[in-house]
Amino acid sequence: MGISDQMNNLAGQMKTGIQSTSLKMTCLVLRIITGLLLGLTLGLIFQELIHYGTFSLIFVMAMALLVFFRVSKDWGLPQILIFDLICILTAQLLRMYILVAPGG
């Protein structure tokens, strides 16, 4: 095996490593964003219902983020994106319900 074969092998390993790392980082960032948005949504709902303060809002956000991390630990990029799509569609459905519901 010559030096050029070794360099090609090293370059291929680096390319594979960079692709794997960027995919893992993308999944991590999406999991963080999704968990924080879920936590913010749940925290604001409970804050409106129970009338608690800012510290409890942050606590609920952190708990929702940790629970989402635990649930989605084995998920890949497609599963996270499908979950995000389901959450967006559910939010749009609730928004439509709120806009159409009679005032009372």
Side-chain angles (χ1 to χ4, degrees):
M1 184 186 294
I3 189 80
S4 63
D5 292 335
Q6 289 177 351
M7 290 302 290
N8 285 336
N9 189 17
L10 180 65
Q13 288 176 352
M14 286 180 61
K15 181 180 175 184
T16 304
I18 289 172
Q19 287 175 344
S20 174
T21 303
S22 64
L23 181 64
K24 288 179 184 178
M25 288 299 294
T26 303
C27 287
L28 179 67
V29 168
L30 278 176
R31 285 174 62 200
I32 290 173
I33 291 171
T34 302
L36 285 175
L37 287 175
L38 282 174
L40 179 64
T41 303
L42 291 174
L44 289 174
I45 289 171
F46 290 138
Q47 188 177 31
E48 188 65 29
L49 291 175
I50 303 173
H51 299 290
Y52 55 69
T54 305
F55 181 73
S56 296
L57 173 69
I58 294 172
F59 179 74
V60 169
M61 283 179 63
M63 287 290 97
L65 176 64
L66 292 175
V67 166
F68 181 72
F69 258 69
R70 187 78 163 163
V71 169
S72 68
K73 67 180 175 184
D74 294 331
W75 291 2
L77 188 61
Q79 289 89 358
I80 296 172
L81 291 175
I82 289 171
F83 180 79
D84 287 344
L85 180 65
I86 291 170
C87 288
I88 290 169
L89 291 174
T90 304
Q92 289 297 321
L93 185 66
L94 290 173
R95 181 179 178 267
M96 184 180 67
Y97 173 73
I98 290 170
L99 291 175
V100 173

